[in-house]
Amino acid sequence: MCGIVGYIGKKQALPIIIEGIKRLEYRGYDSSGLAVINEENELLIHKREGKIVDLERTIPHKKNFNSNIGIAHTRWATHGSPTTLNAHPHTGCKGIISVVHNGIIENYQVLRNRLEKENHIFQSDTDTEVLAHLIEKFYQNSDTLHTAVREALSLVQGTFGIAVISKKEPEKLIAARRGSPLIVGIGEGENFIASDATALVVHTKNVIYLQDDETVELTRDDFIIKTLANAEVEREISKVDWDISTVDKGEFDYFMLKEIYEQPTSIAYAFRGRIMEDFQTSRLGGINLSPEELNQIKQICIIACGTSWHAGMVGEYLLEDLAKIPVEVEYASEFRYRNPILRPDTLVIVISQSGETADTLAALREARARGAKVMGITNVVGSSIARETDFGSYIHAGTEIGVASTKAFTSQVTVLFLLSLLLGRMRHLSPGEGAKFISELQTIPEKVQQILDCNEMIKKVAEQYKDAQNALFLGRGYNFPVALEGALKLKEISYIHAEGYPAAEMKHGPIALIDENMPIVFIVPKDFLYNKVISNMEEVKARKGRIIAITNKAKDGIEKLAEHIIYIPHTVPQLMPILSVIPLQLLAYHIAVLRGCNVDQPRNLAKSVTVE
């Protein structure tokens, strides 16, 4: 959620760390700060509530900040309100060290009470300041900062990604992680630390992904990785396989719109090289189970949060329809706190765009502790979920910057479709049925583009509803999860209260909300439930609700019911969610922009939720 950037080298650190946290703005934050050790060996800290541009603008006497080492941070408040005092970096009583931190220290109050009894004086409400004082305490009796950090973290319960500098050792930068991502960037005569590769790739593509309970000591020319138990670790250097140009908005006003428009390409990338036309099936190279083991799967449990949970719900329909395997879809945040039944023949699938979602990671670990085979579906190479699952598939959607996920959703659904096709063909789907699905999948990118070509018309529809206070999204079958996703997109970025329901459930409560001011979005493709949904539309019309219809059926009476109709191309029901969600993404986007909202950085939200 928060962002960390650190630099040590021969260049001026200040512009590098400021640029780095600017590249992490998309993750969400409410305050920011930085620390450097200058040429006079002074530890200088500057932090501020609000935007990074304000932090940069208010740096006092920038020449004093000339330095070859520095750390910077963007904070998303957990413990303590978003104020300048609570912003990172934090220091101990002596002002020798400076710490930035992502994550949550669960036993911070116990540690704080202990430190206060030892006459440590705290300035903020944060759990992070406890780390600064704790490290300072151990540093008094340690030979090195690295040792002090390891000893202090051995007492910590919770999650952390931290970076620490000390004016006693201005030639070293120490970092550590547990449950919160940190990446080491390896340069020539310089090294970096960051919570996201986005902050690094402009400088180097050589990276090391720190693992849980590992620490790293960075100097200009070298690095040493150790466990908290002081065992030295050899870690392979990886290559980042994308370019910084992928995180530029280009001709678009917002990353969200850019990423909506990238979906013809991202969907194609999700199935490229994964189709076996000769055998009318799919292949997912990351699945390391034998055909016999795949055939032994009798139950599937999908675990995810937010948009990924909605993709998982589509996956439930797909897997039960095509593969005839019973599926349960679980909120990751609930899964770990109940007593789920996982049989030996259960496959657990965890879905996360970032691969770092804290609740999903915790659920993954719980599933593995219970002996389940766990498959990961994620977008980020080298992420924690990619490393900790037994096997998995990348969605290959490319970097997604917008907090409100768009292209990740359609790519996740595409990969779930491929998995369903693979398992279905192994069980009961005929070659003819497999060939039909493959043929239709290959047309989806072009059909998505056809919907994108209607963007201006969708914008005009949005103009009619920008002042709405509430909205309902209704769908049935495969399009019920799409209704949930459409409602989520609208509430995330426009702050309009919106709810998604199965269309038939409307009369069991939500119908009481309908009046002449209520927009109701119906997803109503021509399928076997079409007439049922038309009846639900009649019920809304009778109560003067304002209907927006997403449909692929023209001139069938629907125009008499709907105030606005957005037409989408025809496809098989199993692939319809990939098409029907596109107008909902555009509708939410345009309404949010018309309301003056920052769609890339909606209030109170973060891109990668790395705290519970």
Side-chain angles (χ1 to χ4, degrees):
M1 300 177 77
C2 310
I4 287 176
V5 177
Y7 173 80
I8 184 167
K10 301 175 183 177
K11 300 173 185 173
Q12 286 294 311
L14 187 64
I16 292 173
I17 60 178
I18 289 177
E19 175 202 42
I21 57 173
K22 283 181 177 178
R23 293 192 181 279
L24 300 183
E25 283 188 289
Y26 74 95
R27 294 167 66 94
Y29 69 102
D30 43 48
S31 58
S32 58
L34 57 88
V36 301
I37 301 168
N38 70 8
E39 296 166 347
E40 284 71 44
N41 205 41
E42 298 172 309
L43 177 60
L44 300 181
I45 295 174
H46 178 60
K47 50 190 184 177
R48 188 179 176 93
E49 178 184 353
K51 295 297 183 182
I52 295 170
V53 291
D54 297 322
L55 175 80
E56 184 177 19
R57 178 179 53 81
T58 56
I59 294 175
H61 309 296
K62 282 191 178 181
K63 287 186 178 179
N64 290 343
F65 281 74
N66 287 345
S67 171
N68 303 123
I69 181 172
I71 54 178
H73 187 266
T74 56
R75 177 176 186 251
W76 189 87
T78 55
H79 295 72
S81 57
T83 63
T84 297
L85 191 63
N86 287 332
H88 300 206
H90 289 287
T91 64
C93 294
K94 299 181 183 300
I96 294 171
I97 66 165
S98 184
V99 179
V100 294
H101 165 233
N102 293 347
I104 289 179
I105 308 304
E106 294 174 359
N107 63 334
Y108 86 99
Q109 193 62 60
V110 172
L111 294 171
R112 179 167 176 154
N113 292 343
R114 188 184 307 171
L115 289 162
E116 286 177 332
K117 289 178 181 178
E118 298 173 5
N119 299 318
H120 285 260
I121 299 172
F122 287 81
Q123 305 295 328
S124 76
D125 302 318
T126 68
D127 56 336
T128 299
E129 192 182 356
V130 168
L131 289 177
H133 286 269
L134 194 63
I135 293 168
E136 177 185 84
K137 171 186 173 179
F138 281 98
Y139 201 20
Q140 292 174 348
N141 300 311
S142 297
D143 295 333
T144 68
L145 178 63
H146 196 175
T147 301
V149 169
R150 285 189 290 101
E151 291 175 341
L153 292 179
S154 69
L155 299 180
V156 169
Q157 298 171 14
T159 60
F160 53 80
I162 67 168
V164 190
I165 57 175
S166 165
K167 67 179 184 179
K168 286 174 60 177
E169 298 177 72
E171 74 288 353
K172 295 179 181 178
L173 191 161
I174 311 299
R177 73 154 281 177
R178 178 193 293 157
S180 188
L182 273 185
I183 304 169
V184 179
I186 308 300
E188 294 184 6
E190 59 185 2
N191 286 309
F192 309 81
I193 195 79
S195 52
D196 190 312
T198 307
L200 300 179
V201 292
V202 70
H203 303 289
T204 180
K205 292 192 174 184
N206 296 320
V207 300
I208 294 172
Y209 299 96
L210 284 189
Q211 297 189 16
D212 279 355
D213 289 337
E214 288 184 348
T215 66
V216 62
E217 176 182 293
L218 297 177
T219 61
R220 289 183 178 184
D221 301 306
D222 203 2
F223 61 91
I224 299 171
I225 300 175
K226 291 186 175 183
T227 66
L228 290 184
N230 200 29
E232 195 159 333
V233 176
E234 293 292 329
R235 182 70 66 231
E236 183 178 343
I237 296 176
S238 303
K239 286 275 188 183
V240 176
D241 63 356
W242 48 272
D243 191 79
I244 194 62
S245 61
T246 64
V247 295
D248 290 332
K249 290 195 290 280
E251 64 187 49
F252 297 94
D253 293 330
Y254 289 95
F255 280 110
M256 182 181 178
L257 186 61
K258 174 178 180 277
E259 288 154 12
I260 290 172
Y261 268 80
E262 287 174 344
Q263 286 175 109
T265 300
S266 60
I267 292 165
Y269 282 176
F271 68 73
R272 185 177 64 178
R274 291 171 163 174
I275 290 174
M276 300 176 68
E277 294 194 61
D278 290 348
F279 298 96
Q280 300 85 40
T281 189
S282 65
R283 61 182 169 199
L284 294 169
I287 296 181
N288 60 11
L289 297 182
S290 68
E292 292 76 16
E293 290 173 311
L294 287 171
N295 270 320
Q296 288 171 4
I297 296 170
K298 297 295 187 291
Q299 178 186 24
I300 292 175
C301 178
I302 297 176
I303 302 172
C305 303
T307 287
S308 296
W309 188 79
H310 296 154
M313 287 191 68
V314 178
E316 177 181 19
Y317 282 91
L318 286 166
L319 287 160
E320 292 189 344
D321 186 4
L322 301 186
K324 305 302 182 190
I325 300 174
V327 179
E328 294 290 334
V329 183
E330 298 266 4
Y331 283 113
S333 54
E334 291 297 314
F335 178 86
R336 66 183 294 206
Y337 292 114
R338 62 187 201 84
N339 197 19
I341 299 171
L342 298 178
R343 305 192 309 247
D345 54 10
T346 299
L347 172 66
V348 173
I349 302 174
V350 295
I351 310 175
S352 165
Q353 188 282 137
S354 67
E356 302 291 350
T357 309
D359 287 320
T360 308
L361 266 169
L364 183 166
R365 291 163 183 162
E366 176 65 18
R368 292 200 69 185
R370 290 169 175 263
K373 287 284 188 183
V374 183
M375 174 182 178
I377 296 177
T378 185
N379 193 32
V380 180
V381 176
S383 61
S384 295
I385 284 177
R387 293 196 308 270
E388 294 192 30
T389 45
D390 295 297
F391 53 88
S393 293
Y394 290 114
I395 63 174
H396 300 306
T399 305
E400 188 177 68
I401 300 295
V403 167
S405 181
T406 52
K407 64 178 180 176
F409 173 81
T410 50
S411 293
Q412 288 166 350
V413 171
T414 301
V415 169
L416 287 164
F417 175 83
L418 292 170
L419 176 65
S420 303
L421 178 61
L422 170 64
L423 295 174
R425 283 286 291 121
M426 293 179 68
R427 291 161 187 254
H428 72 92
L429 281 181
S430 70
E433 289 172 308
K436 178 189 71 172
F437 285 128
I438 287 171
S439 176
E440 193 57 39
L441 176 62
Q442 291 170 324
T443 71
I444 292 298
E446 179 184 348
K447 290 176 178 178
V448 169
Q449 185 59 55
Q450 292 175 28
I451 301 170
L452 295 173
D453 291 341
C454 299
N455 179 47
E456 287 302 316
M457 183 272 289
I458 296 171
K459 181 179 179 181
K460 290 179 180 177
V461 174
E463 291 171 354
Q464 303 295 312
Y465 300 99
K466 66 180 178 65
D467 297 320
Q469 299 300 309
N470 303 281
L472 284 176
F473 289 73
L474 304 174
R476 298 196 70 172
Y478 278 100
N479 290 291
F480 163 48
V482 177
L484 294 175
E485 176 63 9
L488 177 63
K489 284 294 151 287
L490 186 65
K491 73 179 80 171
E492 278 183 312
I493 62 173
S494 75
Y495 318 137
I496 295 172
H497 173 250
E499 299 296 336
Y501 278 89
E505 281 296 299
M506 174 193 62
K507 54 186 173 288
H508 295 287
I511 198 169
L513 299 172
I514 295 172
D515 60 20
E516 65 275 8
N517 298 314
M518 170 76 83
I520 297 96
V521 180
F522 277 92
I523 307 159
V524 53
K526 183 64 176 178
D527 57 21
F528 75 100
L529 290 169
Y530 178 78
N531 290 330
K532 299 289 186 183
V533 182
I534 290 293
S535 296
N536 300 141
M537 292 175 67
E538 294 273 11
E539 294 165 350
V540 170
K541 185 71 173 179
R543 289 156 181 84
K544 300 182 180 179
R546 303 182 66 186
I547 296 175
I548 305 167
I550 313 295
T551 186
N552 58 354
K553 180 66 175 177
K555 297 179 180 178
D556 193 35
I558 195 171
E559 66 278 357
K560 296 178 182 178
L561 299 172
E563 190 169 332
H564 301 281
I565 301 176
I566 300 172
Y567 291 105
I568 59 176
H570 177 75
T571 189
V572 293
Q574 293 81 358
L575 290 168
M576 184 57 73
I578 300 177
L579 299 185
S580 59
V581 78
I582 306 296
L584 305 186
Q585 294 172 350
L586 288 169
L587 191 65
Y589 169 82
H590 287 300
I591 288 175
V593 171
L594 289 165
R595 289 168 66 91
C597 302
N598 184 339
V599 298
D600 285 341
Q601 297 173 30
R603 67 188 183 203
N604 303 332
L605 294 178
K607 181 61 177 172
S608 180
V609 183
T610 57
V611 296
E612 184 179 354

